[in-house]
Amino acid sequence: MYFSTDSKQIPKAKVPQGDLRDKWSNFKDQAKLISPNNRNKYHVIIVGTGLSGASAAASLAELGYNVSVFCFQDSPRRAHSVAAQGGVNAMKNYKNDGDSVHRMFYDTLKGGDFRAREANVYRLAECSASLIDQAVAQGVPFAREYSGYLSNRSFGGVQVSRTFYARGQTGQQLLLGAYQAMMRQVKAKKVTSYTRHEMLDLVLINGVAKGIIARNLDTGEITRHTANAVVLATGGFGKIYYLSTLAMGCNGSAIWRAHKKGAWTACPSWTQIHPTCLPQSGSYQSKLTLMSESLRNDGRIWVPLKKNEDRKAVDIPEEERDYYLERRYPSFGNLAPRDIASRAAKERIDAGHGVGSLKNAVYLDFKDALAKQGKAAIAKKYGNLFDMYEKITGINAYKEPMKISPAAHFSMGGLWVDYELSTNIPGLFSIGESNFSDHGANRLGANSLLQACVDGYYILPQTLPHYLAQSGKPETINSDDPAFLESELQVKQQLENFGKINGHKTVDYFHRELGKILYDKCGLTRTEKGLTLAIEAIKNLRDSFYKDLKIPMKTDGINEELEKAGRVADYLEIGELMCIDALSREESCGAHFRMEHQTNDGEAIRNDEEFNFISCWQKSDKAPVLIKEVLNFEFTKPTERSYK
């Protein structure tokens, strides 16, 4: 047995009383407040300056709190939020196509296969409209109709148009808005920005989060930072698969260091494989490129009916093409949710119908859309994406289909948080992709930017002051406290130990091998046998890592291999827990697809009787401990998740 279960601990979600529509208002009405003239006595640390971190920093500083922000990039603007392309969801119903807050809530809950809290998901939909107004006020250049109204398009898993977009640069434009708001507070000296700093440990005093240990990536200096509360806004751990859509620097170390100090990790095996990415072209690659899901509005996905087809796409007649999403899911067609679209692509590729030089891709074809709408209309909507595709592949997608393939993309799992975005460690909050909060077992497209912004702009500025107000008078925290000194010593020792191994293999070697294990055994499909083999393989790989790692022996100054060593060491532990989590859940739900639990036609079989809970994992000296947060559905009834 790879884990134990603690049935005595019951997570306290702290969901407010009342009707679903009133819960967030009820919380705000009853939340404790801090007087404006007392707010400058409190100091908050925020780790990460992407959309959730930058928006939270700007909002808290605007309220009067003192904030320190940390990012490992040379500028907060280089956070990975810039990579989100297709759009951000919000309930405005500009199209008058039947959208509502409740419909958006239900779409999101169903999209996550009913594995999320009703109250959290409803709040996400409820706050969405405010975000668009705020972003427009910041100058985000959303696409507009001829009339001047903001334009909308559809994303996977819905039958309405609620996605607002700025061509294929929505994440970048939203981040610039949050960055400008934060830098205004830097200028006002309410926010202190630490760029090129990486959090290496969380510091607890008497079980309460009181600061962090950070390393200056340019000088190697280790520093202690104190605060009345710590917020992690460090994104997800999808880069654990090595080949992913994430930037090379993305990592899960901040949340894992918090986990090792006692924070629960929730459902880490719920990782999203995005269906529209550029396929791997060789073993030399270190990452994969995302192609926006928005392309599925007008592009049709197909594979040749003939196996091992060698003809060019343009030479294959219509009657010899299999538009498999339209065939299997006629109600949603090419806009089926990501987990379903990715598994369908894998099934066709594995059956011998893949295309491209490695036969590892499917076609995304705009022939029909171009004939109906014209090149100018398609270019207006997707021009920068077509340009990017041609720059990378040398193929003009106006003349022949794109080749796409599934790739690791997003982490639905993350640190467990309650309704107030607080972890089980007092004083430690987690926002954006670093927590598990809103998406269940599968995230709908364009909800990532939404969650990051809503957490940072609207939720944390209400819940964190509520925590501070309940904590009593602000205390002065001494960075010379034994807890800080001990944590700093442990961090320094780990860095020195990496250099002393002096083996023969690079950090990237171990990262790549881990990625292969996870893609094969804990990726789009999972089995009991495969997961068991993966756990043992990861243990062996971790043993080899600590015996045969080779990095430059230098802890001062710039040492990128040292940085990566710490991150991959954490990945080797996260990867094992991912597989244990997947092994423990004997059902198929969302992105977690156990081959033993499927219908005759390959659809997921969810087990609500035994697995209607969030898996909260607690660190233990022995095996990880499973704690269950049972999900209560008061206002909806979980149904079979069908998109046919």
Side-chain angles (χ1 to χ4, degrees), residues 303-309 346-355 359:
V303 294
L305 283 173
K306 177 185 174 183
K307 293 184 178 181
N308 301 312
E309 178 64 79
K346 183 179 187 298
E347 187 276 328
R348 291 289 80 196
I349 291 169
D350 290 349
H353 298 277
V355 300
K359 301 297 183 186

CSV table of all heavy atoms in Angstrom, one decimal, residues 303-309 346-355 359:
chain,number,residue,atom,x,y,z
A,303,VAL,N,-8.7,13.0,-39.3
A,303,VAL,CA,-7.6,12.1,-39.6
A,303,VAL,C,-8.0,11.3,-40.8
A,303,VAL,O,-9.2,11.2,-41.1
A,303,VAL,CB,-7.2,11.1,-38.4
A,303,VAL,CG1,-6.7,11.9,-37.3
A,303,VAL,CG2,-8.4,10.3,-38.1
A,304,PRO,N,-7.0,10.8,-41.6
A,304,PRO,CA,-7.4,9.9,-42.7
A,304,PRO,C,-8.0,8.6,-42.2
A,304,PRO,O,-7.7,8.1,-41.2
A,304,PRO,CB,-6.0,9.6,-43.3
A,304,PRO,CG,-5.1,10.6,-42.8
A,304,PRO,CD,-5.6,11.0,-41.4
A,305,LEU,N,-9.0,8.2,-43.0
A,305,LEU,CA,-9.6,6.9,-42.7
A,305,LEU,C,-8.6,5.7,-42.9
A,305,LEU,O,-8.7,4.7,-42.2
A,305,LEU,CB,-10.8,6.7,-43.6
A,305,LEU,CG,-12.1,7.4,-43.2
A,305,LEU,CD1,-13.1,7.3,-44.3
A,305,LEU,CD2,-12.6,7.0,-41.9
A,306,LYS,N,-7.7,5.9,-43.8
A,306,LYS,CA,-6.7,4.9,-44.1
A,306,LYS,C,-5.6,5.0,-43.1
A,306,LYS,O,-5.1,6.1,-42.8
A,306,LYS,CB,-6.2,5.0,-45.5
A,306,LYS,CG,-5.0,4.1,-45.9
A,306,LYS,CD,-4.5,4.4,-47.3
A,306,LYS,CE,-3.3,3.6,-47.6
A,306,LYS,NZ,-2.7,4.0,-48.9
A,307,LYS,N,-5.2,3.8,-42.5
A,307,LYS,CA,-4.0,3.8,-41.6
A,307,LYS,C,-2.7,4.1,-42.3
A,307,LYS,O,-2.6,3.7,-43.5
A,307,LYS,CB,-4.0,2.5,-40.9
A,307,LYS,CG,-5.1,2.2,-40.0
A,307,LYS,CD,-4.9,0.9,-39.2
A,307,LYS,CE,-6.0,0.6,-38.2
A,307,LYS,NZ,-5.8,-0.6,-37.5
A,308,ASN,N,-1.8,4.7,-41.6
A,308,ASN,CA,-0.4,5.0,-42.1
A,308,ASN,C,-0.5,5.7,-43.5
A,308,ASN,O,0.2,5.4,-44.4
A,308,ASN,CB,0.4,3.7,-42.2
A,308,ASN,CG,0.5,3.0,-40.9
A,308,ASN,OD1,0.9,3.6,-39.9
A,308,ASN,ND2,0.2,1.7,-40.9
A,309,GLU,N,-1.4,6.7,-43.6
A,309,GLU,CA,-1.6,7.5,-44.8
A,309,GLU,C,-0.4,8.3,-45.1
A,309,GLU,O,0.1,9.0,-44.2
A,309,GLU,CB,-2.8,8.3,-44.6
A,309,GLU,CG,-3.1,9.2,-45.8
A,309,GLU,CD,-3.5,8.4,-47.1
A,309,GLU,OE1,-4.6,8.0,-47.2
A,309,GLU,OE2,-2.6,8.3,-47.9
A,346,LYS,N,-5.7,10.9,-29.2
A,346,LYS,CA,-4.8,9.8,-28.8
A,346,LYS,C,-5.3,8.5,-29.3
A,346,LYS,O,-4.6,7.7,-29.8
A,346,LYS,CB,-4.6,9.7,-27.3
A,346,LYS,CG,-3.6,8.7,-26.8
A,346,LYS,CD,-3.5,8.7,-25.3
A,346,LYS,CE,-2.4,7.7,-24.9
A,346,LYS,NZ,-2.6,6.3,-25.3
A,347,GLU,N,-6.6,8.3,-29.2
A,347,GLU,CA,-7.2,7.0,-29.7
A,347,GLU,C,-7.0,6.8,-31.2
A,347,GLU,O,-6.6,5.7,-31.6
A,347,GLU,CB,-8.7,7.0,-29.3
A,347,GLU,CG,-9.4,5.6,-29.6
A,347,GLU,CD,-9.8,5.5,-31.1
A,347,GLU,OE1,-10.2,6.5,-31.7
A,347,GLU,OE2,-9.8,4.4,-31.6
A,348,ARG,N,-7.2,7.9,-31.9
A,348,ARG,CA,-7.0,7.8,-33.4
A,348,ARG,C,-5.5,7.6,-33.7
A,348,ARG,O,-5.2,6.8,-34.6
A,348,ARG,CB,-7.6,9.1,-34.1
A,348,ARG,CG,-9.1,9.2,-34.1
A,348,ARG,CD,-9.8,8.2,-35.0
A,348,ARG,NE,-9.9,6.9,-34.4
A,348,ARG,CZ,-10.2,5.8,-35.1
A,348,ARG,NH1,-10.3,5.9,-36.4
A,348,ARG,NH2,-10.3,4.6,-34.5
A,349,ILE,N,-4.7,8.3,-33.0
A,349,ILE,CA,-3.2,8.2,-33.3
A,349,ILE,C,-2.8,6.8,-33.0
A,349,ILE,O,-2.0,6.2,-33.7
A,349,ILE,CB,-2.4,9.3,-32.5
A,349,ILE,CG1,-2.8,10.7,-33.0
A,349,ILE,CG2,-1.0,9.0,-32.5
A,349,ILE,CD1,-2.2,11.8,-32.2
A,350,ASP,N,-3.2,6.3,-31.8
A,350,ASP,CA,-2.7,5.0,-31.4
A,350,ASP,C,-3.3,3.9,-32.3
A,350,ASP,O,-2.7,2.8,-32.5
A,350,ASP,CB,-3.2,4.7,-29.9
A,350,ASP,CG,-2.5,5.5,-28.9
A,350,ASP,OD1,-1.4,6.1,-29.3
A,350,ASP,OD2,-2.9,5.5,-27.7
A,351,ALA,N,-4.4,4.2,-33.0
A,351,ALA,CA,-5.0,3.2,-33.9
A,351,ALA,C,-4.4,3.2,-35.3
A,351,ALA,O,-4.8,2.5,-36.2
A,351,ALA,CB,-6.5,3.5,-34.0
A,352,GLY,N,-3.4,4.1,-35.4
A,352,GLY,CA,-2.6,4.1,-36.7
A,352,GLY,C,-3.1,5.2,-37.7
A,352,GLY,O,-2.6,5.1,-38.8
A,353,HIS,N,-3.9,6.1,-37.2
A,353,HIS,CA,-4.4,7.1,-38.1
A,353,HIS,C,-3.7,8.5,-38.0
A,353,HIS,O,-4.1,9.5,-38.5
A,353,HIS,CB,-5.9,7.3,-37.9
A,353,HIS,CG,-6.7,6.1,-38.3
A,353,HIS,ND1,-7.1,5.8,-39.5
A,353,HIS,CD2,-7.2,5.1,-37.4
A,353,HIS,CE1,-7.8,4.6,-39.5
A,353,HIS,NE2,-7.8,4.2,-38.2
A,354,GLY,N,-2.6,8.5,-37.2
A,354,GLY,CA,-1.9,9.7,-37.0
A,354,GLY,C,-1.2,10.2,-38.3
A,354,GLY,O,-0.9,9.5,-39.2
A,355,VAL,N,-0.9,11.5,-38.3
A,355,VAL,CA,-0.3,12.1,-39.5
A,355,VAL,C,1.0,12.8,-39.1
A,355,VAL,O,1.3,13.0,-37.9
A,355,VAL,CB,-1.2,13.1,-40.1
A,355,VAL,CG1,-2.5,12.4,-40.6
A,355,VAL,CG2,-1.6,14.3,-39.2
A,359,LYS,N,3.9,10.5,-37.3
A,359,LYS,CA,2.6,9.9,-37.2
A,359,LYS,C,2.0,10.1,-35.8
A,359,LYS,O,1.2,9.3,-35.2
A,359,LYS,CB,2.6,8.4,-37.5
A,359,LYS,CG,3.1,8.0,-38.8
A,359,LYS,CD,2.2,8.6,-40.0
A,359,LYS,CE,2.7,8.2,-41.3
A,359,LYS,NZ,2.0,8.9,-42.4
